[in-house]
Amino acid sequence: MVDYSKWKDIEISDDEDETHPNIDTPSLFRWRHQARVERMEERRREKENLENRKKDNFQKLSETRKKLAEAGSTDLTELKKAIAQLEKEEKEILKKEDELKKKEKQTPWNVDTISEPGFTKTVINTKAPRPREENLTEEQKEEKMKKFIKENEKLLKQFGMLRRYDDSQRFLQQHSHLVCEETANYLVIWCINLEMEGKHDLMSHVAHQTICMQYILELSKQLDVDPRACVGAFISRIQVSEKTYKDSFDDELEQFKERIKKRAHEKLQEAIREQEEEERKARLGPGGLDPVEVYEELPDELKKCFDAQDVPMLQATIAKMPEQEAIYYMKRCVDAGLWVPGKNDDEPTMMENAGAAATGAASNDPTPATNSTTDNVD
């Protein structure tokens, strides 16, 4: 029967314990790891010495018993004493061996032993180092991300919808190529899109899977091992974690969801601004001015003329205004498309739908002008 008791506790040198702000945390993690490696090396030497003593004792005991059998009835006392001493030493060695086995069984697994083979001692299973970051341009990174999503989007969505840690571990072990930065990036983007669509509960669920992936990748960076080797360690740890570790995970999850909500709101505002800018560009007049802005700047008496589409009223109003002021406003109306010159350059005409455009401008829903004309304005 396989003994799974070691999985109850896994020792990791760079635990998420809180440290004093004046302490160099990365150095502390390295010191912890070095201390653990030294302890493991000491136990290895102790076990090796015990094996050598056991082998030497067995050889001496065999030779002494052989001599006793060949000695007959002479010189038996010294040989019997030697055998008794060797047998006593054998019992001590066996007792020490049992103690070492018990100590080894009670020792928590760690990242340096978690990948050792459990059913044979003839194979050395070493962990692959963490892949080095590729020196890619932004365009190459974008292309790589697009290709990854195209090939794995269905699997990525399946992982994002999982609920149990055991299911997540089994899924990532079956599709180990998903344990990478691209998966974390895709899940973040998916969370933002879900929040923008108003699917808050689903966003919260996918956010949990996102933080799980980010924890695995961060553990890989800290230990400098392939992230695929950290999946089991993280899942086991989060399932049997201490309160401080679980609280740290939950706190990071809540902060991540807040960042997603903030970013989703910003993207919605950006989309609204872009749409408004497109609408503004679409309604620009021939001179590049926005009819909404031009209409809002007109004096009230000119606004009334456009609202009523009353050409005589407009003629009278312009006649009463100072010449330079009238030229300024009517020039802006032409550039905005609220006023279109007639066929004769000296005789500008008012558009049939100028009033509608002005009314639309007043309600922030301007109607673009057309080129149709009506009565001449003197």
Side-chain angles (χ1 to χ4, degrees):
M1 180 179 293
V2 181
D3 183 8
Y4 292 99
S5 61
K6 285 181 177 289
W7 288 97
K8 293 180 180 178
D9 191 16
I10 299 177
E11 179 185 10
I12 300 179
S13 60
D14 51 352
D15 285 336
E16 301 291 337
D17 300 332
E18 294 183 1
T19 58
H20 194 277
N22 294 334
I23 295 178
D24 183 7
T25 303
S27 297
L28 178 60
F29 291 164
R30 288 194 297 270
W31 295 337
R32 287 178 178 174
H33 181 262
Q34 182 62 31
R36 189 183 72 229
V37 171
E38 291 175 356
R39 291 196 303 269
M40 292 171 58
E41 179 62 18
E42 183 179 351
R43 287 196 296 268
R44 187 193 66 77
R45 288 196 299 267
E46 184 179 4
K47 187 176 180 180
E48 184 177 350
N49 292 336
L50 187 63
E51 288 290 335
N52 292 335
R53 282 183 58 193
K54 183 178 178 181
K55 183 177 179 180
D56 186 57
N57 175 271
F58 177 78
Q59 185 176 357
K60 288 181 179 180
L61 188 57
S62 298
E63 292 175 354
T64 305
R65 286 172 176 170
K66 184 177 180 180
K67 289 180 180 179
L68 181 61
E70 295 175 350
S73 59
T74 58
D75 301 327
L76 299 180
T77 303
E78 292 297 327
L79 291 173
K80 288 181 179 180
K81 286 183 180 180
I83 290 175
Q85 183 64 31
L86 290 170
E87 289 177 344
K88 180 180 178 181
E89 184 178 355
E90 182 183 30
K91 291 180 181 180
E92 293 176 355
I93 293 174
L94 293 175
K95 182 179 179 182
K96 184 66 175 178
E97 188 177 38
D98 290 338
E99 291 176 356
L100 283 178
K101 288 181 179 179
K102 185 179 295 185
K103 184 185 297 185
E104 183 179 359
K105 182 178 180 181
Q106 294 174 349
T107 301
W109 280 15
N110 55 65
V111 72
D112 295 310
T113 60
I114 201 169
S115 296
E116 290 181 354
F119 302 99
T120 177
K121 294 183 180 179
T122 60
V123 178
I124 300 176
N125 187 9
T126 58
K127 300 173 299 300
R130 191 170 69 91
R132 301 297 95 181
E133 294 184 2
E134 299 178 271
N135 188 18
L136 302 177
T137 64
E138 292 300 321
E139 293 77 10
Q140 290 173 328
K141 290 180 180 178
E142 184 178 354
E143 186 63 29
K144 180 181 178 182
M145 183 66 181
K146 289 180 179 179
K147 181 180 178 182
F148 180 82
I149 294 176
K150 182 179 180 181
E151 296 175 350
N152 301 284
E153 187 167 16
K154 184 177 180 180
L155 293 175
L156 292 170
K157 287 187 178 293
Q158 288 180 16
F159 173 73
M161 298 299 291
L162 295 177
R163 295 187 176 275
R164 299 174 63 249
Y165 287 118
D166 291 338
D167 293 338
S168 295
Q169 179 178 356
R170 185 162 47 251
F171 186 85
L172 291 178
Q173 288 174 342
Q174 292 173 350
H175 308 284
S176 58
H177 65 286
L178 297 182
V179 188
C180 60
E181 291 286 350
E182 286 77 13
T183 294
N185 293 337
Y186 175 84
L187 293 176
V188 171
I189 296 172
W190 190 15
C191 285
I192 295 175
N193 292 336
L194 289 172
E195 182 65 21
M196 292 176 65
E197 295 169 6
K199 300 176 181 179
H200 309 297
D201 292 339
L202 184 55
M203 182 281 290
S204 180
H205 177 75
V206 177
H208 178 274
Q209 295 297 91
T210 307
I211 296 301
C212 287
M213 180 58 64
Q214 291 182 349
Y215 260 59
I216 292 171
L217 296 175
E218 184 62 27
L219 184 61
S220 166
K221 292 178 182 178
Q222 293 175 358
L223 303 179
D224 195 26
V225 297
D226 192 303
R228 291 171 292 184
C230 299
V231 174
F234 166 74
I235 296 298
S236 298
R237 187 176 187 191
I238 195 66
Q239 286 180 318
V240 296
S241 62
E242 297 178 355
K243 186 177 185 300
T244 53
Y245 186 80
K246 190 64 169 63
D247 289 346
S248 175
F249 180 90
D250 293 339
D251 182 62
E252 178 63 29
L253 176 58
E254 291 304 317
Q255 291 184 30
F256 174 74
K257 289 192 288 188
E258 289 302 317
R259 293 195 296 270
I260 289 296
K261 292 177 182 178
K262 180 180 179 181
R263 181 56 182 151
H265 177 73
E266 291 174 350
K267 287 181 71 66
L268 283 174
Q269 294 303 312
E270 291 173 3
I272 292 174
R273 287 194 294 270
E274 290 177 359
Q275 183 178 0
E276 291 177 346
E277 180 62 20
E278 290 178 359
E279 292 176 351
R280 190 188 72 83
K281 290 180 179 180
R283 65 177 178 248
L284 292 181
L289 296 184
D290 184 355
V292 173
E293 296 176 1
V294 171
Y295 176 84
E296 292 296 338
E297 294 174 359
L298 291 176
D300 291 340
E301 55 270 22
L302 286 180
K303 286 183 180 179
K304 292 178 181 178
C305 298
F306 282 102
D307 291 343
Q309 299 188 56
D310 192 328
V311 176
M313 182 190 299
L314 180 62
Q315 293 172 338
T317 303
I318 293 175
K320 294 177 183 179
M321 297 176 64
E323 183 178 357
Q324 292 301 321
E325 184 178 353
I327 293 174
Y328 170 77
Y329 283 118
M330 297 313 296
K331 174 67 167 59
R332 290 179 60 81
C333 287
V334 171
D335 291 341
L338 294 176
W339 181 268
V340 179
K343 294 181 180 180
N344 297 323
D345 294 338
D346 296 333
E347 297 180 349
T349 61
M350 186 179 185
M351 297 160 41
E352 288 182 352
N353 65 340
T359 304
S363 63
N364 291 327
D365 185 19
T367 302
T370 66
N371 291 327
S372 59
T373 59
T374 182
D375 301 331
N376 290 341
V377 178
D378 296 334

Short mmCIF file of all heavy atoms in Angstrom, two decimals, residues 42-60 89-90 92-94 96-98 100-101 104 121:
data_model
loop_
_atom_site.label_atom_id
_atom_site.label_comp_id
_atom_site.label_asym_id
_atom_site.label_seq_id
_atom_site.Cartn_x
_atom_site.Cartn_y
_atom_site.Cartn_z
N GLU A 42 23.29 16.02 5.78
CA GLU A 42 23.73 15.36 7.02
C GLU A 42 23.02 14.03 7.22
O GLU A 42 23.64 13.03 7.61
CB GLU A 42 23.46 16.29 8.21
CG GLU A 42 23.94 15.73 9.54
CD GLU A 42 23.68 16.69 10.68
OE1 GLU A 42 23.28 17.84 10.40
OE2 GLU A 42 23.88 16.30 11.83
N ARG A 43 21.71 14.00 6.94
CA ARG A 43 20.97 12.74 7.07
C ARG A 43 21.45 11.72 6.03
O ARG A 43 21.51 10.52 6.31
CB ARG A 43 19.47 12.99 6.90
CG ARG A 43 18.83 13.69 8.09
CD ARG A 43 17.32 13.57 8.06
NE ARG A 43 16.74 14.24 6.91
CZ ARG A 43 16.32 15.50 6.92
NH1 ARG A 43 16.45 16.22 8.02
NH2 ARG A 43 15.80 16.04 5.85
N ARG A 44 21.80 12.21 4.85
CA ARG A 44 22.30 11.29 3.82
C ARG A 44 23.61 10.65 4.24
O ARG A 44 23.81 9.43 4.07
CB ARG A 44 22.48 12.06 2.50
CG ARG A 44 22.84 11.15 1.31
CD ARG A 44 23.33 11.96 0.14
NE ARG A 44 24.59 12.62 0.43
CZ ARG A 44 25.77 12.00 0.44
NH1 ARG A 44 25.86 10.72 0.15
NH2 ARG A 44 26.87 12.67 0.72
N ARG A 45 24.52 11.46 4.79
CA ARG A 45 25.81 10.92 5.26
C ARG A 45 25.60 9.93 6.41
O ARG A 45 26.27 8.89 6.47
CB ARG A 45 26.72 12.06 5.70
CG ARG A 45 27.27 12.90 4.55
CD ARG A 45 28.44 13.74 5.02
NE ARG A 45 28.06 14.66 6.08
CZ ARG A 45 27.67 15.91 5.88
NH1 ARG A 45 27.62 16.40 4.64
NH2 ARG A 45 27.34 16.69 6.89
N GLU A 46 24.68 10.27 7.30
CA GLU A 46 24.41 9.39 8.43
C GLU A 46 23.87 8.04 7.94
O GLU A 46 24.27 6.98 8.42
CB GLU A 46 23.39 10.05 9.37
CG GLU A 46 23.11 9.23 10.64
CD GLU A 46 22.12 9.94 11.54
OE1 GLU A 46 21.61 11.01 11.15
OE2 GLU A 46 21.86 9.43 12.65
N LYS A 47 22.97 8.10 6.95
CA LYS A 47 22.41 6.87 6.39
C LYS A 47 23.47 6.07 5.66
O LYS A 47 23.53 4.82 5.76
CB LYS A 47 21.27 7.23 5.44
CG LYS A 47 20.50 6.04 4.91
CD LYS A 47 19.33 6.50 4.06
CE LYS A 47 18.54 5.31 3.53
NZ LYS A 47 17.38 5.76 2.70
N GLU A 48 24.35 6.75 4.94
CA GLU A 48 25.43 6.07 4.22
C GLU A 48 26.40 5.40 5.18
O GLU A 48 26.83 4.26 4.95
CB GLU A 48 26.16 7.09 3.34
CG GLU A 48 27.25 6.48 2.47
CD GLU A 48 27.89 7.51 1.57
OE1 GLU A 48 27.37 8.64 1.50
OE2 GLU A 48 28.92 7.19 0.97
N ASN A 49 26.76 6.09 6.26
CA ASN A 49 27.66 5.50 7.26
C ASN A 49 27.03 4.27 7.91
O ASN A 49 27.71 3.27 8.18
CB ASN A 49 28.00 6.54 8.33
CG ASN A 49 28.86 7.66 7.79
OD1 ASN A 49 29.57 7.48 6.80
ND2 ASN A 49 28.81 8.82 8.44
N LEU A 50 25.71 4.37 8.16
CA LEU A 50 25.02 3.24 8.77
C LEU A 50 25.02 2.04 7.83
O LEU A 50 25.21 0.89 8.26
CB LEU A 50 23.60 3.64 9.14
CG LEU A 50 22.80 2.60 9.95
CD1 LEU A 50 23.47 2.37 11.30
CD2 LEU A 50 21.36 3.07 10.15
N GLU A 51 24.82 2.28 6.53
CA GLU A 51 24.84 1.19 5.55
C GLU A 51 26.22 0.55 5.49
O GLU A 51 26.34 -0.69 5.39
CB GLU A 51 24.46 1.74 4.17
CG GLU A 51 22.98 2.10 4.00
CD GLU A 51 22.08 0.88 3.99
OE1 GLU A 51 22.56 -0.22 3.63
OE2 GLU A 51 20.91 1.01 4.36
N ASN A 52 27.26 1.37 5.56
CA ASN A 52 28.62 0.82 5.55
C ASN A 52 28.90 -0.02 6.80
O ASN A 52 29.52 -1.09 6.71
CB ASN A 52 29.64 1.96 5.45
CG ASN A 52 29.59 2.66 4.10
OD1 ASN A 52 29.17 2.05 3.10
ND2 ASN A 52 30.00 3.91 4.06
N ARG A 53 28.44 0.48 7.97
CA ARG A 53 28.61 -0.30 9.21
C ARG A 53 27.86 -1.62 9.14
O ARG A 53 28.37 -2.67 9.56
CB ARG A 53 28.09 0.52 10.39
CG ARG A 53 29.01 1.63 10.88
CD ARG A 53 28.42 2.31 12.10
NE ARG A 53 28.17 1.33 13.17
CZ ARG A 53 27.43 1.59 14.25
NH1 ARG A 53 26.81 2.77 14.35
NH2 ARG A 53 27.27 0.68 15.18
N LYS A 54 26.64 -1.56 8.59
CA LYS A 54 25.84 -2.77 8.48
C LYS A 54 26.51 -3.79 7.56
O LYS A 54 26.57 -5.01 7.88
CB LYS A 54 24.46 -2.41 7.93
CG LYS A 54 23.48 -3.57 7.84
CD LYS A 54 22.13 -3.09 7.33
CE LYS A 54 21.16 -4.26 7.20
NZ LYS A 54 19.84 -3.79 6.68
N LYS A 55 27.04 -3.31 6.45
CA LYS A 55 27.72 -4.20 5.51
C LYS A 55 28.99 -4.80 6.13
O LYS A 55 29.27 -6.00 6.00
CB LYS A 55 28.07 -3.42 4.24
CG LYS A 55 28.73 -4.24 3.16
CD LYS A 55 28.97 -3.37 1.92
CE LYS A 55 29.66 -4.20 0.83
NZ LYS A 55 29.91 -3.36 -0.39
N ASP A 56 29.76 -3.95 6.83
CA ASP A 56 30.99 -4.41 7.47
C ASP A 56 30.70 -5.41 8.57
O ASP A 56 31.39 -6.44 8.72
CB ASP A 56 31.74 -3.20 8.02
CG ASP A 56 33.11 -3.58 8.57
OD1 ASP A 56 33.91 -4.15 7.80
OD2 ASP A 56 33.38 -3.31 9.75
N ASN A 57 29.66 -5.13 9.35
CA ASN A 57 29.28 -6.03 10.44
C ASN A 57 28.85 -7.39 9.90
O ASN A 57 29.22 -8.45 10.44
CB ASN A 57 28.16 -5.40 11.26
CG ASN A 57 27.62 -6.31 12.35
OD1 ASN A 57 26.69 -7.09 12.13
ND2 ASN A 57 28.23 -6.24 13.53
N PHE A 58 28.06 -7.36 8.82
CA PHE A 58 27.59 -8.60 8.23
C PHE A 58 28.77 -9.44 7.72
O PHE A 58 28.82 -10.68 7.91
CB PHE A 58 26.63 -8.30 7.07
CG PHE A 58 26.15 -9.53 6.35
CD1 PHE A 58 25.15 -10.33 6.88
CD2 PHE A 58 26.71 -9.89 5.13
CE1 PHE A 58 24.71 -11.47 6.21
CE2 PHE A 58 26.29 -11.03 4.46
CZ PHE A 58 25.28 -11.82 4.99
N GLN A 59 29.73 -8.79 7.11
CA GLN A 59 30.90 -9.51 6.58
C GLN A 59 31.74 -10.13 7.70
O GLN A 59 32.14 -11.29 7.62
CB GLN A 59 31.76 -8.54 5.75
CG GLN A 59 32.93 -9.20 5.05
CD GLN A 59 33.68 -8.22 4.16
OE1 GLN A 59 33.28 -7.07 4.02
NE2 GLN A 59 34.76 -8.69 3.57
N LYS A 60 31.97 -9.32 8.75
CA LYS A 60 32.77 -9.83 9.89
C LYS A 60 32.05 -10.97 10.60
O LYS A 60 32.67 -11.97 11.00
CB LYS A 60 33.05 -8.71 10.87
CG LYS A 60 34.05 -7.68 10.38
CD LYS A 60 34.28 -6.62 11.44
CE LYS A 60 35.32 -5.60 10.96
NZ LYS A 60 35.56 -4.54 11.96
N GLU A 89 26.28 -5.55 18.12
CA GLU A 89 26.43 -4.40 17.23
C GLU A 89 25.40 -4.43 16.11
O GLU A 89 24.88 -3.40 15.69
CB GLU A 89 27.84 -4.39 16.65
CG GLU A 89 28.13 -3.17 15.78
CD GLU A 89 29.55 -3.18 15.25
OE1 GLU A 89 30.32 -4.08 15.63
OE2 GLU A 89 29.87 -2.28 14.45
N GLU A 90 25.08 -5.65 15.64
CA GLU A 90 24.08 -5.79 14.59
C GLU A 90 22.72 -5.29 15.06
O GLU A 90 21.99 -4.61 14.32
CB GLU A 90 23.98 -7.25 14.15
CG GLU A 90 22.99 -7.49 13.02
CD GLU A 90 22.86 -8.97 12.68
OE1 GLU A 90 23.04 -9.80 13.59
OE2 GLU A 90 22.57 -9.29 11.51
N GLU A 92 22.17 -3.06 17.37
CA GLU A 92 22.24 -1.60 17.48
C GLU A 92 22.09 -0.94 16.10
O GLU A 92 21.42 0.08 15.95
CB GLU A 92 23.56 -1.19 18.11
CG GLU A 92 23.70 -1.60 19.57
CD GLU A 92 25.07 -1.24 20.13
OE1 GLU A 92 25.92 -0.76 19.34
OE2 GLU A 92 25.28 -1.44 21.35
N ILE A 93 22.72 -1.57 15.11
CA ILE A 93 22.62 -1.02 13.75
C ILE A 93 21.18 -1.09 13.25
O ILE A 93 20.67 -0.14 12.65
CB ILE A 93 23.56 -1.78 12.80
CG1 ILE A 93 25.02 -1.50 13.17
CG2 ILE A 93 23.30 -1.40 11.35
CD1 ILE A 93 26.03 -2.32 12.39
N LEU A 94 20.53 -2.23 13.48
CA LEU A 94 19.14 -2.38 13.05
C LEU A 94 18.22 -1.41 13.76
O LEU A 94 17.28 -0.86 13.16
CB LEU A 94 18.68 -3.83 13.28
CG LEU A 94 19.37 -4.90 12.43
CD1 LEU A 94 18.90 -6.29 12.84
CD2 LEU A 94 19.08 -4.66 10.95
N LYS A 96 19.12 1.52 14.97
CA LYS A 96 19.42 2.84 14.42
C LYS A 96 18.78 3.01 13.04
O LYS A 96 18.27 4.08 12.69
CB LYS A 96 20.93 3.02 14.32
CG LYS A 96 21.36 4.40 13.85
CD LYS A 96 21.02 5.47 14.87
CE LYS A 96 21.56 6.82 14.45
NZ LYS A 96 21.19 7.90 15.40
N GLU A 97 18.77 1.93 12.29
CA GLU A 97 18.17 1.96 10.96
C GLU A 97 16.67 2.21 11.04
O GLU A 97 16.10 2.98 10.26
CB GLU A 97 18.46 0.65 10.23
CG GLU A 97 18.04 0.64 8.78
CD GLU A 97 18.40 -0.65 8.08
OE1 GLU A 97 18.29 -1.72 8.73
OE2 GLU A 97 18.80 -0.61 6.91
N ASP A 98 16.01 1.56 11.99
CA ASP A 98 14.57 1.79 12.20
C ASP A 98 14.29 3.23 12.60
O ASP A 98 13.30 3.83 12.15
CB ASP A 98 14.04 0.83 13.27
CG ASP A 98 14.00 -0.61 12.79
OD1 ASP A 98 13.98 -0.81 11.56
OD2 ASP A 98 13.99 -1.52 13.64
N LEU A 100 16.08 5.85 11.83
CA LEU A 100 16.26 6.70 10.66
C LEU A 100 15.06 6.62 9.72
O LEU A 100 14.62 7.63 9.15
CB LEU A 100 17.54 6.31 9.91
CG LEU A 100 18.86 6.79 10.53
CD1 LEU A 100 20.03 6.29 9.70
CD2 LEU A 100 18.89 8.30 10.62
N LYS A 101 14.52 5.42 9.53
CA LYS A 101 13.36 5.24 8.68
C LYS A 101 12.15 5.99 9.24
O LYS A 101 11.39 6.63 8.50
CB LYS A 101 13.03 3.76 8.52
CG LYS A 101 14.02 3.00 7.66
CD LYS A 101 13.61 1.55 7.52
CE LYS A 101 14.59 0.78 6.63
NZ LYS A 101 14.21 -0.65 6.51
N GLU A 104 12.72 9.66 8.75
CA GLU A 104 12.54 10.01 7.34
C GLU A 104 11.06 10.05 6.97
O GLU A 104 10.63 10.90 6.20
CB GLU A 104 13.27 9.00 6.47
CG GLU A 104 13.21 9.31 4.98
CD GLU A 104 13.98 8.30 4.14
OE1 GLU A 104 14.57 7.38 4.73
OE2 GLU A 104 13.95 8.44 2.91
N LYS A 121 14.68 2.77 -6.37
CA LYS A 121 15.84 3.58 -6.04
C LYS A 121 16.88 3.53 -7.15
O LYS A 121 17.99 3.99 -6.98
CB LYS A 121 16.46 3.09 -4.74
CG LYS A 121 15.57 3.28 -3.52
CD LYS A 121 16.26 2.84 -2.25
CE LYS A 121 15.36 3.05 -1.05
NZ LYS A 121 16.00 2.62 0.22
#
